[in-house]
């Protein structure tokens, strides 16, 4: 077992949709200035310009691309994108990985059409396993990233466990926040998946301040009660690493012992804070935790 991994950034944190202006090379430079030297690419269109920007960052800034993102098929019918089920998209995805010296692809989530019952879960797992075997021949390992939806039970089993049992060639990228939000202990669950992981998402969890409407709540009206309950139930937030409630050192240690090599900081929502500022807070907190030499 290695005595340390490499801490990087999941690019969804600073994806083009969240930025007034996005330039791949410029963004990598900002991450390097904070102290990060590794990224996982997600929610960034793999245009020729962006791929070239990432390549330039590898060559000039010493950055490393741990993994790129792939989908087996559209999340919903008609959804645009690049999919492994399309031979041309498959070929381009492999070529993009090779251009970036990347030997891992990760599936962000299974298509919505593959959810709903045990058999659909099995069918997806078997399909993903076939892609994993095919990609292996091209020198690329395929991983599956969890959210909370994979902790729905079909026939008494977690969806994620069903995928694992029916896709022996597939690895797993475990996300600390979503495991916790799915009702499981991230440390214990990561240990359960030991040997199947090279990628771990470091994403903290916090309960935000409950908004109280000015003038109070009208409990006598249905609308007032619905608004109150919405405020009451929707205060779970993503947090900068070290600013939430999860035991990040224990999560990192469990990931390392289970085969984790890349530990990727991700924050789906920064709640108005500049994402680069959030990433700096996470970086600095991880340094304080004793992981300064993991960057």
């Amino acid at each position: 077992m290695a005595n340390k991994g490499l801490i990087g950034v999941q690019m969804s944190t600073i994806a083009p949709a969240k930025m007034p202006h996005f330039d791949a090379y410029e963004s990598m430079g900002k991450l390097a200035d904070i102290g990060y030297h590794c990224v996982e690419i997600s929610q960034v269109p793999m245009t020729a310009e962006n791929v070239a920007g990432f390549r330039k960052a590898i060559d000039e800034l010493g950055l490393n691309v741990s993994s790129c993102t792939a989908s087996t098929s559209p999340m919903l019918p008609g959804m645009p994108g690049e999919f492994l089920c399309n031979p041309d998209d498959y070929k381009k995805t492999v070529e993009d990985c090779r251009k970036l010296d990347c030997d891992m692809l990760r599936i962000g989530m299974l298509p919505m059409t593959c959810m709903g019952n045990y058999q659909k879960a099995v069918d997806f797992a078997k399909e993903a396993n076939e892609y994993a075997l095919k990609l292996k021949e091209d020198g690329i390992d395929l991983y599956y990233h969890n959210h909370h939806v994979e902790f729905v039970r079909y026939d008494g089993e977690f969806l994620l466990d069903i995928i694992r049992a029916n896709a022996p060639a597939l690895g797993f990228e475990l996300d600390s926040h979503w495991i916790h939000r799915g009702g499981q202990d991230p440390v214990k669950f990561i240990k359960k998946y030991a040997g199947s992981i090279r990628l771990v998402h470091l994403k903290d969890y916090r309960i935000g301040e409950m908004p109280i409407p000015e003038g109070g709540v009208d409990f006598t009206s249905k609308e007032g009660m619905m608004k109150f309950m919405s405020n009451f139930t929707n205060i779970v937030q993503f947090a900068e690493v070290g600013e939430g409630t999860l035991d990040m050192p224990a999560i990192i240690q469990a990931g390392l012992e289970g085969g984790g090599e890349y530990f990727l900081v991700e924050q789906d929502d920064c709640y108005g804070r500049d994402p680069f500022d959030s990433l700096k807070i996470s970086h600095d907190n991880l340094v304080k935790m004793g992981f300064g030499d993991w960057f």
Side-chain angles (χ1 to χ4, degrees):
M1 185 187 78
N3 61 3
K4 66 178 181 179
L6 185 61
I7 295 176
V9 169
Q10 222 285 357
M11 286 296 295
S12 65
T13 309
I14 54 169
K18 299 177 181 178
M19 298 281 110
H21 164 75
F22 180 86
D23 178 277
Y25 179 74
E26 181 183 290
S27 297
M28 296 303 95
K30 289 181 179 179
L31 294 179
D33 288 343
I34 294 171
Y36 294 102
H37 295 92
C38 173
V39 297
E40 175 175 81
I41 302 174
S42 176
Q43 296 183 29
V44 177
M46 295 301 275
T47 62
E49 181 183 19
N50 283 337
V51 172
F54 286 123
R55 181 68 243 181
K56 186 178 179 183
I58 293 170
D59 294 335
E60 297 183 7
L61 303 176
L63 264 81
N64 170 31
V65 175
S66 66
S67 36
C68 293
T69 299
S71 297
T72 55
S73 55
M75 186 62 64
L76 289 167
M79 191 171 178
E82 296 177 357
F83 307 104
L84 295 177
C85 61
N86 181 318
D88 289 340
D89 290 349
Y90 177 94
K91 182 180 178 182
K92 178 185 179 299
T93 298
V94 170
E95 289 174 352
D96 287 342
C97 286
R98 288 176 175 159
K99 288 175 183 175
L100 302 177
D101 302 331
C102 168
D103 68 351
M104 282 187 280
L105 275 172
R106 36 89 65 185
I107 297 170
M109 194 171 85
L110 78 169
M112 296 291 186
T113 51
C114 297
M115 297 184 66
N117 59 51
Y118 184 90
Q119 191 55 51
K120 285 184 178 181
V122 169
D123 291 345
F124 167 77
K126 290 183 176 179
E127 178 188 31
N129 195 66
E130 290 301 312
Y131 286 120
L133 292 170
K134 185 177 180 182
L135 285 163
K136 191 73 173 174
E137 293 179 2
D138 287 311
I140 297 170
D141 290 336
L142 184 62
Y143 291 79
Y144 182 88
H145 167 268
N146 73 280
H147 288 82
H148 55 352
V149 294
E150 288 85 5
F151 292 94
V152 64
R153 291 185 188 271
Y154 297 136
D155 294 356
E157 294 181 57
F158 288 138
L159 169 56
L160 195 64
D161 289 340
I162 296 169
I163 294 172
R164 186 187 188 195
N166 289 278
L170 189 68
F172 289 84
E173 175 178 60
L174 298 183
D175 185 302
S176 56
H177 175 101
W178 289 117
I179 293 171
H180 184 71
R181 202 185 283 210
Q184 297 298 296
D185 179 332
V187 174
K188 290 181 180 177
F189 202 85
I190 289 170
K191 288 180 177 179
K192 175 182 172 182
Y193 273 58
S196 300
I197 53 176
R198 284 176 68 193
L199 301 158
V200 176
H201 276 188
L202 303 182
K203 185 188 300 180
D204 219 330
Y205 175 106
R206 69 172 171 235
I207 299 299
E209 191 71 35
M210 180 176 164
I212 304 296
E214 205 172 307
V217 177
D218 180 7
F219 290 107
T220 65
S221 73
K222 182 179 180 181
E223 292 76 15
M225 278 300 297
M226 288 178 66
K227 179 64 175 174
F228 172 81
M229 289 307 299
S230 176
N231 289 346
F232 183 77
T233 56
N234 293 316
I235 56 173
V236 170
Q237 294 185 347
F238 307 100
E240 291 81 4
V241 174
E243 300 294 313
T245 60
L246 300 185
D247 186 346
M248 281 298 171
I251 287 168
I252 292 170
Q253 185 61 33
L256 185 68
E257 291 174 358
E261 298 173 29
Y262 296 94
F263 297 78
L264 302 151
V265 175
E266 182 183 28
Q267 193 168 340
D268 300 45
D269 192 333
C270 298
Y271 310 100
R273 178 177 277 157
D274 185 297
F276 288 101
D277 291 340
S278 287
L279 289 170
K280 179 165 176 34
I281 291 169
S282 292
H283 169 274
D284 293 350
N285 283 343
L286 283 161
V287 171
K288 290 173 187 174
M289 291 176 196
F291 298 100
D293 61 345
W294 285 44
F295 288 92

